[in-house]
Amino acid sequence: MPIARSLPSLRVLAALLPMAALAACATDGTSPTTRPTPTASAAPAPSRPSVAPDEATTYGLFLAGREAMAQGAAGDAAAYFGAAAQSGGGGPGDGGAGLISERAFFAALMAGDVRKAATLAPAAGDANADPEKARLGALVRGVEALAEDNGKQALAILKGPEVGYPHKAAASLVIPWAAAAAGDVDGSVIHTVLPGDPIDQFYANLSQARLFERAKRYDEAETHYKALIAAGDPGAMASQSYGAMLERRKRAADAVAVYQAALNRFPDSADLQDALARAKAHKSPPPMLSIKEGASEALIAPAAALMVQHQSEYALAYLHLALRLNPGQDEAWMLAGDCLNAMGDSDGAREAYARLKPGSDRYITARNKMAWTYQNGDDHAGALKLARETLSASPENQEAAVNLADLLRANEQYEDSAKILDKVIAAQGDHVDWRLLYARAASLEEAGHWQDAERDLQTALKQRPDEPELLNFLAYSWIDRGERLQEALGMVQKAVDANPQSGAMLDSLGWAYFRLGDFKTAVAKLEDAVVLEPADPDVNNHLGDAYWRVGRKTEADYQWRRVLILQPSAKLKAEVETKLKSGLDGVGPAAVASQ
C-alpha cells in the first residue's frame, strides 16, 4: 500500500546531517528532515580477498589488490598495491608500476591511512598519472603537512598549481587555516570566494569569522558572525560560534541574547539549549577551535556536497582527511559511515558508529544508525536487540524510543510500535510533533485500529494542512475503504501537485479514479506511477486491475505476473494468483479495492 512506502522515518526527529540541512537551506531556507542513512567506519577491517593469485609476482599482487578493492576491503587493497609498487614491476595491459602506485595511493586513502597515502600520492608531472588523482594527491600532501604541524609546507602545497579541479574548493577551505598555522595572520583572514557552491561558501565565511577571533580582531569577527546569522545561519552554526566567542569575551548577557534568538528559529536544538544554560550560569565557555580542528570542520562541507552528488569515494577521502586533522570529530565519523554504507560496507559502518562514545551528543544517533545496518542486512533480531539496548540505557531519550518504534513497524510488530509512540507522544504534551502522530497512525492502521489512526492523521493535519504525506495517507485510506471518495480525490490531487514525482502519490490518485469508476483516467495515472515506482508490487497490481477494466487483459495479466517477482506480501501474492486464474470479471471496483 502506498502509505507504507511513503512513510518518513521518525528517526528524523533526532539526528540529521548538518550538511544536508545546509544544502536545503541554500535553496529554500529551511532545515529539512531526512531519513538518516545507516553508515560505516572510516577504517574498516574487512576479510582477506577470496582470490589467491601468485602473490610472489607483481602482477599477482596487483590482481589481489584489485579484487580486494572490488570487495570493499580497502585496507587489504592498500597492502597488496603497496607491495606490488615496491616490487618495481608492472602488470601486462594494466599501466605498469605507475598505475599500481596510483591504486595503492587511493586504496590507502580509502582505508583511512592518510600518512601512507601522502607518500604514495602521484605527482602532477607524472605523464602516466591520472590528473584527477594527482590533484587529489596534492590535497592529501597538503593536509598531511598541516597534520604534522608544518604550516608553511602545507600552505605552499595547497596554494600551488598542483591542486586543481575538482579538489580546488576543498583546498581553498583549508588554505586560511594553513596560513594561520604558518604564522601568516593577514593571509588567514582573506575572504575566500567559492562561486556556485553555497555550502562551501558558508563554511568559508564561518572560517573567516573564526579566524578573525583567532587574530584577535574581535570587531571584524562579530561583524562576520552577524552577517552569517542575518543570511539564515543554517543549523545555527554561526550563532553557536558567535555566542561562544562572546562568552570567551566575558559578554555572557550578549551570548544569552544570541542563543535565545537562535532558539526561536531552532527550538529543538539541544546544542543551543545547552549553550544557553551554560551562558546563563556563567560557566566556562568552550575553548576556541584549534587550527587543526577548524581545518577539519571546514573539510566536512565539500565532503557533504559530494555525498549529495552520490560521489561516495571522494566524500570518504575528504572525511579521512578531516579525521587526520581531528580524529575526535564525531560528525566526520558519522558521515564517513554514511559513505561506507553507500559503498556496501556494513561492517565498516558499524565500526564508524562505534567511534562515538557515551557522552557524545551524537551517540544515540550512531547507535540508531548501527541498528539499521543490521535491519537492512536482514538481521532483524539483531537490529531490534540493539535498539532495545539503546533505549534501555537511555529510557528518557525520545530519539532512541522513536527509532525502536520505527524498527518495530518495519518488522511488522505494529502494536508494540504504537505503544512505544504512545509514551513519546504523551511526553510531548500539547505540542506533539506531527511526524509522531503520522508514524503512530501508520502502526495503528496496520494493526487494525483504523479509527485511532484516522484520529491521529486528522490531528496532524490541523498542524500541517498542506503536508503531502499526511494528505496522501489519509486520502488513500479513505479511498481504500470507499469513504469520502470525492474529498479524498481532492486531497490526493493536492498532494500530487505538491510532489509530482512521487510514484506512491500518483498511485493513490490513480486508485481514487479506479474506485470512482473512471478507469481510463486511472490507467493514465497508474502508468505514470509505475514509471516512477517500477519495482513496487502494489503499483503494478493496481495498474493490472485498471488494464483489466479497460479491456487490456493481456497487459493486465503481464502486470499481475510482474507483481509475483517483486516480493509481494503473502496476502497480495494470494490475491494476484487468484486474479491470474479468474481475472476481475464479475467483481466490482469496491470488491477489488477491498482486497
Side-chain angles (χ1 to χ4, degrees):
M1 151 173 162
I3 305 309
R5 289 199 310 276
S6 60
L7 179 66
S9 166
L10 266 290
R11 285 175 281 152
V12 300
L13 293 178
L16 309 175
L17 266 67
M19 292 295 84
L22 279 174
C25 289
T27 57
D28 64 8
T30 63
S31 294
T33 57
T34 54
R35 189 181 187 101
T37 309
T39 61
S41 149
S47 60
R48 297 284 288 184
S50 59
V51 167
D54 179 4
E55 297 180 9
T57 68
T58 299
Y59 192 51
L61 290 165
F62 171 80
L63 290 176
R66 191 168 65 178
E67 176 67 13
M69 202 68 182
Q71 294 185 8
D76 288 341
Y80 282 132
F81 285 136
Q86 290 176 1
S87 72
D94 285 290
L99 176 59
I100 293 174
S101 181
E102 184 179 294
R103 292 199 178 188
F105 153 72
F106 197 64
L109 187 55
M110 290 294 96
D113 191 345
V114 176
R115 184 181 288 108
K116 182 176 182 179
T119 67
L120 295 168
D126 186 346
N128 295 319
D130 177 348
E132 197 168 296
K133 291 294 193 301
R135 293 167 193 153
L136 177 60
L139 175 63
V140 170
R141 290 199 305 273
V143 170
E144 178 60 23
L146 184 58
E148 290 292 328
D149 299 312
N150 194 333
K152 290 183 178 180
Q153 182 184 2
L155 186 60
I157 294 172
L158 295 170
K159 292 183 72 174
E162 291 187 31
V163 183
Y165 179 83
H167 307 296
K168 188 65 176 178
S172 297
L173 288 166
V174 179
I175 283 171
W177 296 97
D184 181 2
V185 176
D186 290 338
S188 73
V189 294
I190 290 176
H191 182 56
T192 301
V193 178
L194 299 168
D197 196 328
I199 296 177
D200 287 353
Q201 189 61 59
F202 173 85
Y203 261 89
N205 296 343
L206 183 61
S207 288
Q208 188 178 24
R210 288 169 168 172
L211 286 163
F212 269 125
E213 182 190 3
R214 176 168 288 280
K216 298 182 180 180
R217 293 163 61 171
Y218 302 114
D219 289 345
E220 289 162 289
E222 190 162 354
T223 297
H224 279 72
Y225 278 130
K226 287 180 177 179
L228 283 166
I229 293 169
D233 190 15
M237 297 179 69
S239 296
Q240 292 179 61
S241 291
Y242 179 31
M245 184 190 80
L246 292 172
E247 288 184 78
R248 289 189 287 269
R249 300 291 297 153
K250 310 299 183 184
R251 294 170 56 186
D254 291 336
V256 166
V258 169
Y259 295 141
Q260 189 60 67
L263 273 168
N264 291 338
R265 291 178 292 121
F266 302 97
D268 297 326
S269 171
D271 290 338
L272 283 171
Q273 292 166 3
D274 291 344
L276 179 62
R278 180 187 65 231
K280 284 183 174 179
H282 295 275
K283 294 182 178 179
S284 297
M288 187 168 51
L289 290 178
S290 70
I291 288 173
K292 291 180 186 178
E293 288 171 340
S296 173
E297 191 166 308
L299 279 167
I300 291 178
L306 288 167
M307 291 175 69
V308 171
Q309 299 164 20
H310 304 289
Q311 297 187 49
S312 297
E313 287 189 339
Y314 276 157
L316 183 59
Y318 284 10
L319 291 166
H320 283 320
L321 295 179
L323 289 164
R324 174 72 178 101
L325 293 167
N326 181 12
Q329 171 58 269
D330 283 352
E331 198 62 46
W333 281 115
M334 293 282 282
L335 298 185
D338 290 339
C339 287
L340 284 165
N341 185 75
M343 294 160 65
D345 186 0
S346 297
D347 289 336
R350 294 162 196 158
E351 290 182 22
Y353 293 132
R355 295 280 185 161
L356 286 84
K357 304 301 181 185
S360 167
D361 60 359
R362 302 286 276 155
Y363 175 70
I364 297 295
T365 304
R367 295 275 295 183
N368 291 345
K369 289 189 174 188
M370 192 184 300
W372 279 92
T373 66
Y374 289 106
Q375 175 70 18
N376 294 336
D378 291 330
D379 183 358
H380 302 167
L384 289 170
K385 180 176 183 291
L386 182 56
R388 286 191 172 101
E389 289 174 350
T390 302
L391 181 58
S392 178
S394 303
E396 302 304 316
N397 188 283
Q398 292 189 4
E399 179 186 353
V402 167
N403 187 66
L404 176 57
D406 252 358
L407 280 164
L408 288 165
R409 186 174 60 249
N411 286 285
E412 301 181 0
Q413 298 182 37
Y414 303 117
E415 295 277 8
D416 290 342
S417 175
K419 289 177 182 177
I420 294 288
L421 291 171
D422 286 344
K423 296 178 182 178
V424 178
I425 289 170
Q428 291 201 356
D430 295 332
H431 302 289
V432 62
D433 192 296
W434 69 269
R435 292 164 295 185
L436 289 169
L437 295 168
Y438 184 30
R440 186 170 69 176
S443 295
L444 288 169
E445 195 272 343
E446 291 285 0
H449 305 302
W450 166 241
Q451 290 184 342
D452 292 333
E454 185 179 34
R455 177 204 61 217
D456 275 352
L457 291 172
Q458 290 176 326
T459 301
L461 272 168
K462 290 178 182 177
Q463 289 185 33
R464 298 288 290 263
D466 298 322
E467 174 55 48
E469 296 285 353
L470 287 169
L471 290 166
N472 180 55
F473 190 164
L474 182 55
Y476 182 90
S477 300
W478 281 341
I479 292 162
D480 232 22
R481 288 167 171 77
E483 301 170 4
R484 304 166 74 162
L485 291 179
Q486 287 295 341
E487 182 181 356
L489 176 64
M491 290 168 62
V492 78
Q493 183 64 65
K494 186 177 180 180
V496 169
D497 290 344
N499 196 354
Q501 295 303 306
S502 169
M505 292 178 188
L506 278 168
D507 176 69
S508 298
L509 184 60
W511 202 231
Y513 282 110
F514 184 94
R515 291 302 310 270
L516 288 164
D518 186 349
F519 303 123
K520 183 178 179 180
T521 303
V523 166
K525 301 301 181 184
L526 291 167
E527 285 179 336
D528 289 342
V530 87
V531 168
L532 294 169
E533 296 282 355
D536 189 285
D538 291 303
V539 178
N540 282 273
N541 178 50
H542 289 164
L543 181 57
D545 290 355
Y547 278 153
W548 185 277
R549 289 301 183 197
V550 296
R552 295 162 63 175
K553 296 185 177 181
T554 300
E555 291 166 279
D557 185 86
Y558 171 81
Q559 293 301 142
W560 290 331
R561 291 187 185 280
R562 179 166 170 71
V563 170
L564 298 179
I565 65 172
L566 294 176
Q567 298 181 327
S569 65
K571 180 181 178 182
L572 179 57
K573 181 175 182 289
E575 291 167 359
V576 167
E577 287 173 344
T578 298
K579 285 188 284 191
L580 285 168
K581 292 177 181 178
S582 55
L584 294 178
D585 288 337
V587 181
V592 172
S594 70
Q595 294 176 352

